[in-house]
Amino acid sequence: ERPAIDLPGVAATAAEAHRTTLAVDTDVTPVGRVVALAIERFAVRDLVIKNPPLDDVIRAIYAGAPA
């Protein structure tokens, strides 16, 4: 069974043996809350936080969607 973070606005986008990638809607749940829960529940050995690519943000702005 893969680890899960069950918070609103958080979705697993990829999962492998020792890696899970999450997408976090920071308008719904702050990243800090997601990180705190992950550290509390799982043996986190490495953590990377990335912003969406600028191209995606610009596309979302012009499409009228939230970035």
Side-chain angles (χ1 to χ4, degrees):
E1 185 176 317
R2 301 275 186 240
I5 300 287
D6 188 25
L7 290 171
V10 179
T13 58
E16 300 172 26
H18 298 284
R19 175 180 302 195
T20 301
T21 302
L22 303 173
V24 179
D25 181 344
T26 56
D27 288 334
V28 178
T29 300
V31 170
R33 184 167 177 213
V34 178
V35 171
L37 184 61
I39 290 171
E40 177 184 311
R41 289 190 182 171
F42 311 110
V44 176
R45 295 182 70 192
D46 192 14
L47 178 69
V48 176
I49 299 173
K50 294 182 181 179
N51 288 321
L54 187 55
D55 292 355
D56 292 351
V57 173
I58 292 170
R59 245 188 307 284
I61 290 169
Y62 282 101

